[in-house]
């Protein structure tokens, strides 16, 4: 109110209090832990510095949190004193930190509400085993793996029955401090139906219908059927996922059945495919798939007689990926390598060996910008190119390869001008993206490359784009045009939706 009187405070700062003595004492099993010692060196207060109590509290909190995350669950400060000499403006700090014993996993118990999965299968889903050290990172990764499996609507963990000296019969944990882990799990919805409507410049308007059963029986098989209908292709697929008995979250088998009809300009293909694969996840970064594909394809050009080819193709794919955010990364990389082959002596109509390498790399530049790089290399050795199905030939151009060109419009041509695909492909691109605010950003980019057989002719484009970070992931609209190409002109627009990786 206007009638209130002003309050004026005149504060005279005294002389700063300096740290005269820093006395830190270790106790417990963790005093020699190599992960804790650097923390002392980096965060400890230095004698002669101004006494900074927030930094002192930060040091205590960081050390306690780190020790507990490494398995020293009873760690505590048994003594924490600051003694101030007001006359000398000096302070002495004494800390005694007792890590206590290093805890190991005792029993692993699942509480199902209600009971819906085989108990042995649940136990095999756990990467942490009795005798392992109780580390927070391992527990968080385990909880993430369970939540990502689609089997559970809710997963929680409790540490129970903490024992400093466990007389268990198991030689792995006999005499060690142990704690039992109790996972409480509830079933996720088993049956899912979905319909999706979308648009991309590569495929035009599209509709997706999907049925999914995420839990077939107590062994937790998973089944999915999907129908995709787009302007350029129609795709019907069925997939059965069978988790392995010993490592259900890290190793599984897939049986895929599929039918694809694709009509792009004059190029047509009709493909029946059966695929059996073994898939393994070695870590959060490394994945591997060993597969056998049986492909029966009728392919050719509109108005002409189609070629029919049956190929029996074993192969292997390795993937390495790492990112700080899978949707909108500031730092991230993905590398995928595939090697596959077919032989006329093994049920195939054509013999070939094919290798392909794909990569994408993202890194931040300053606070608001980032650089995005992508590359593709592919090579094929084939004894009769005319019998090689279109689905095993290389094409380039489109939203995710060389923008400024239509989808799969870059490839060798026959005498009639039809795009017959290439034995090899090389493409790469670089993009600079600047973030305007939390939702919007703009980009400038250039792409180059081509699909080819013998002679490699570089096709290059450049363009501008705008991005919107929607709840479904980044939505990108790009405008690009070819450079130094007399056979192509004009601006092409490319519209895509989806995460960075």
């Amino acid at each position: 109110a206007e009638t209130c009187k002003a309050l004026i405070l005149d504060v005279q700062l005294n002389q700063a209090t300096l740290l005269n003595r820093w006395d830190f004492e270790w106790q417990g099993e963790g005093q020699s832990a190599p992960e804790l010692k650097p923390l002392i060196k980096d965060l400890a207060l230095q004698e002669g510095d101004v006494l900074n109590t927030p930094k002192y509290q930060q040091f205590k909190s960081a050390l306690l949190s780190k020790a507990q995350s490494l398995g020293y669950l009873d760690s505590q400060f048994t003594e924490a004193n600051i003694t101030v000499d007001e006359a000398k403006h000096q302070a002495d700090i004494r800390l005694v930190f007792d890590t206590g014993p290093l805890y190991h996993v005792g029993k692993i118990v699942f509480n199902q509400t209600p009971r819906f999965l085989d108990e042995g299968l649940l136990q095999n889903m756990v990467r942490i085993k009795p005798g392992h050290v109780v580390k927070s990172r391992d527990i968080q990764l385990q909880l993430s793996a369970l939540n990502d499996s689609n089997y559970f609507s809710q997963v929680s963990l409790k540490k129970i029955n903490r024992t400093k000296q466990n007389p268990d019969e198991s030689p792995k944990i006999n005499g060690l401090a142990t704690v039992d882990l109790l996972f409480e799990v509830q079933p996720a919805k088993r049956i899912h139906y979905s319909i999706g409507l979308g648009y991309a410049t590569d495929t035009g308007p599209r509709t997706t219908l999907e049925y999914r059963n995420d839990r077939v029986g107590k062994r937790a098989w998973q089944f999915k059927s999907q129908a995709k209908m787009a302007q350029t292709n129609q795709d019907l697929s069925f997939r059965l996922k069978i988790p392995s008995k010993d490592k259900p979250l890290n190793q599984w088998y897939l049986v895929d059945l599929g039918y694809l009809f694709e009509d792009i300009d004059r190029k047509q293909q009709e493909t029946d495919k059966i695929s059996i694969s073994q898939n393994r996840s070695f870590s959060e970064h490394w994945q591997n798939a060993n597969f056998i594909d049986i492909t029966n394809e009728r392919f050719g050009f509109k108005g002409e007689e189609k070629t029919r080819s049956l190929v029996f193709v074993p192969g292997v794919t390795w993937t390495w990926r790492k990112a700080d955010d899978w949707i909108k990364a500031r730092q991230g990389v993905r590398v995928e390598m595939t090697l596959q082959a077919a032989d006329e002596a093994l049920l195939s109509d054509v013999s070939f060996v094919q290798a392909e390498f794909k990569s994408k790399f993202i890194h931040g530049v300053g606070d608001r910008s980032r650089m995005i790089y992508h590359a593709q290399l592919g090579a094929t050795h084939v004894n009769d190119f005319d019998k090689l199905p279109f689905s095993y030939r290389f094409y380039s151009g489109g939203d995710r390869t060389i923008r400024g060109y239509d989808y799969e419009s870059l490839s060798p041509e026959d005498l009639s001008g039809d795009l017959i695909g290439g034995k090899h492909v090389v493409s790469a691109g670089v993009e600079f993206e600047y973030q305007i605010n939390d939702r919007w950003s703009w980009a400038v980019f250039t792409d180059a490359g081509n699909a080819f057989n013998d002679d490699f002719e570089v096709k290059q484009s450049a363009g501008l784009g705008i991005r919107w970070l929607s709840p479904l992931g980044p939505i990108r609209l790009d405008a690009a045009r070819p450079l130094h190409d007399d056979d192509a002109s004009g601006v092409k627009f490319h519209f895509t939706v989806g995460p960075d990786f």
Side-chain angles (χ1 to χ4, degrees), residues 12 119 121 140 273 320 347 424 429 441 444 455 457 484:
Q12 300 293 327
E119 183 67 27
L121 182 72
Q140 289 302 319
K273 189 173 183 177
W320 187 83
L347 306 178
H424 317 298
S441 59
V444 58
D455 299 324
E457 180 185 1
H484 318 298

Side-chain angles (χ1 to χ4, degrees), residues 1 34 87 101 105 122 190 217 227 247 292 299 331 338 409 446 448 484 488 490:
V105 177
L122 284 172
R190 188 170 61 91
K247 300 177 181 179
I292 297 175
F299 59 97
Q331 303 287 338
T338 300
S409 64
T446 181
H484 318 298

Side-chain angles (χ1 to χ4, degrees), residues 27 63 75 142 153 206 249 280 329 361 369 387 446 454:
Q27 292 180 357
L63 182 58
S75 57
Q142 181 63 67
S153 63
R206 61 190 181 196
L249 296 186
R280 296 179 292 176
F361 173 57
S369 306
K387 291 184 179 180
T446 181
D454 300 312

Side-chain angles (χ1 to χ4, degrees), residues 350-376:
V350 61
S351 297
F352 71 89
V353 177
Q354 187 175 84
E356 186 176 11
F357 169 89
K358 293 181 180 180
S359 68
K360 188 173 186 180
F361 173 57
I362 299 175
H363 71 84
V365 179
D367 295 332
R368 289 185 170 270
S369 306
R370 62 179 190 160
M371 298 296 298
I372 304 172
Y373 310 88
H374 67 86
Q376 178 189 13

Side-chain angles (χ1 to χ4, degrees), residues 400-414:
R400 299 186 182 276
T401 54
I402 303 175
R403 290 161 286 188
Y405 289 89
D406 289 333
Y407 177 57
E408 294 191 352
S409 64
L410 295 178
S411 100
E413 300 177 356
D414 62 11

